[in-house]
Amino acid sequence: MADCPQEILSAVASIIFESAIPDALPSLDPVLFSSSQIPSALPSALPASGWSEPASRHTLASLCLVSRAWYVAAKPYLWRHVEVRLPRTWLAFVDEVAAIDSEEAADALVDASVQQAASVALAAKDSCDPDCANLLQLSILQQLSNVPHNSIPPELLSPPASREPSPARLRARSPGRWRFLRAVSAAMQSLDPNVYVPTPDDPHPGRHVRHLDFNHFRTIGMRRSVEEGVRSRFVTSDRLERVLKEMPQLRQFGATEYMDGALTKSVLIELLMRGAALAFLNWNGARGRGVSLIPNSPATTNEMDQDDADRRRDCRGLEAIDFCGCVSSVFVQGLIDFVREYLEDDVADDGTRTPSQVTFPTIKRLGLRGVTSIPSLVLTNFILAFTSLTHLDLSGTRCSPELLVALGDSTTVRLTSLALGRCIRLTGASITDFLVDGLPARTITQLSLYGDGTFISPLTEADLMRIVTEAPCFKSGMMEYLDLSSSPVTPDVLQAIAPQRALRSLGLSHISALPLPSIAQFLLNTAPNVEVLAIVSTSPELSLHVPWRELSLSLHSHIIRPLTTPPFQFSLTTVCVPKPPLTRLRVVELGVGTLNSLGAGGDAWAVVRSKGGRGWYVHTASGWENGVLRRDLPAGHPMRVELERLAASNGNVGSGVGWHARKMEVLHGLGMLGREDGLYGAVSFAYQG
């Protein structure tokens, strides 16, 4: 393939990269990979629906070593998805992406770019005259510097160290280096429109990065003292800001509690104030608290100078941000200052309020799970600035009823995934009114209202009855994920729910008065396609006061046997084709005491425990294979063997092992049905609360 056109090599590299993107219709099972089987594009656990991210990255890295052509084709995709895992790799990444170029390096970049453009233009005209080359280079520099042609001396192409660098050289050293390289091509086009000059190569790979997250980053185990951890941080705001300035194509960003001390106001500005978010800068009525945001005003240089504003305006806006677990005082203060500066209404001396015009229309997915320290008013102003949200995770925050009221009036937000678990400030009436009357809630297909014994859902039975009978998201029958844990769910409420044929994962935990037969009837008649059922501390039959033998018998007689066993058939004359079970149920989440009473399970059922305090009763003979949900996997099937291995591990598993996530997958857009590992996976599947 060495003789293939560059476009074909780039297409091959693109396919390799996209093979590791999670499938839009996941299998709900932990990620299982087999090197002996070809990935399937259908929802499948084994063979997997795609490659693993490390396998895709290793393949792209290997292609970069084949030839120069393969290097050019594979390098952009090798840098497109970056996951920071170790402190030393982060420092190496900073040096590679955001290294501060010396004046000599900037001069070399200018000379090489201009000479490359001139050589391409001369080659197109079959000319090799050195005088023509020098004259063409001077003309390109004239277009870049906007100065009279005669004022550019020939020695400017390689100035002495004592000479003040030209504006073009300053731009070559700034974070807008990629804009300078693009300007070289544009300048050549303006001189001769009939000659196509490709954009010169930028040695810094930051322009290729579209995904950056710190999900796997941690400093535990480095034998650093507390003082070293405070004074010698690896992820600092200065390093992070430098890196972000070199990423004009960044689309997804994920932060964690291990680096939230770097999320200062300046970093938040660099993350959010780019692309379409800067459209308001063109308005004469642009607002700001103490700082004018009009580009030509003198005060602009105090906050963002003209070049910085132009650079951010040329950048693409982010699509997804995940701030899961970010609670440091630095982050909280930075967000408060950012909201006060740009998002709060401006109040004049006479009391006149001018609403903020700053919005972030490109960001569609926002994760704030566990961000417990942000005040309610600040959180409200912050979230209302995201006018195009489809995924919103507010679990464990201080979001207020006023936020839901204001969000419900939005005509641009169209939510498909919403998480409001353990929100201590919300009331039952506010949740009910938002789901029933709010315009953004009409398109919800994944809803989490999770609560537990420490925080019971604020909904009353009347609120819940109104939600399931009047809310458009319930009446549509398109719900895929639903968690009503700790809500006052009764048999009457379950009977009032419209048929939910698309429902795959259901949470009914911490509902002590809900009997198991009512749950079974709901699955049989209303939601037969549910695969994962969470009933931790639910039902009188599974109470802690019930003897262990009776507990196991109740679970199997009411849930396991009627919902997962094929109907009995008998014939003396013909061979009966086995009928499938009445439902797709194959995973049941139970409390620790209930799981202990089940022992090692039986009849292909086994107990799989997470890395934390959660556990599931799993039918190891069931799983998705090439788009088909099989219920009869043989004993030696690779998927069954893998599930049995997870059961035998007794909790010594990865953080991404589990079912029925409690954290929304934000970066790729899979929502509550998505699967994550690392710190995000621990929040999703390991933590009990």
Side-chain angles (χ1 to χ4, degrees), residues 10-79:
S10 298
V12 172
S14 174
I15 293 174
I16 295 174
F17 172 79
E18 293 175 355
S19 65
I21 298 178
D23 192 64
L25 187 62
S27 68
L28 303 186
D29 291 312
V31 180
L32 308 173
F33 293 102
S34 175
S35 59
S36 61
Q37 293 179 299
I38 300 175
S40 169
L42 298 170
S44 178
L46 198 72
S49 58
W51 285 9
S52 64
E53 197 276 331
S56 174
R57 185 174 63 252
H58 177 74
T59 304
L60 292 172
S62 299
L63 288 178
C64 290
L65 303 177
V66 173
S67 64
R68 177 65 183 178
W70 274 114
Y71 173 81
V72 173
K75 178 183 176 181
Y77 297 97
L78 181 62
W79 284 93

Side-chain angles (χ1 to χ4, degrees), residues 49 61 70 79 83 134 253 278 437 481 527 557 575 621 637 640 678:
S49 58
W70 274 114
W79 284 93
E83 295 181 355
N134 290 334
F253 178 81
L278 291 183
D437 302 324
Y481 175 103
S557 61
V575 178
H637 192 276
R640 183 167 180 174

Side-chain angles (χ1 to χ4, degrees), residues 366-369 391-395 397 419 662-664 666:
L366 177 63
L368 296 172
R369 178 183 175 87
H391 295 66
L392 179 60
D393 190 349
L394 296 176
S395 300
T397 64
R662 292 180 183 163
K663 177 195 174 297
M664 184 182 299
V666 172

Side-chain angles (χ1 to χ4, degrees), residues 223-230:
R223 297 182 179 180
R224 285 159 51 93
S225 64
V226 176
E227 182 180 1
E228 289 177 331
V230 173

Side-chain angles (χ1 to χ4, degrees), residues 519-538:
I519 299 176
Q521 288 299 318
F522 174 77
L523 296 182
L524 283 172
N525 302 326
T526 306
N529 293 324
V530 168
E531 302 176 41
V532 183
L533 174 65
I535 49 175
V536 179
S537 302
T538 292

Side-chain angles (χ1 to χ4, degrees), residues 241-254:
E241 185 177 359
R242 284 167 47 200
V243 165
L244 293 175
K245 287 182 177 180
E246 298 288 347
M247 298 179 180
Q249 302 293 328
L250 186 64
R251 306 296 282 167
Q252 297 97 24
F253 178 81

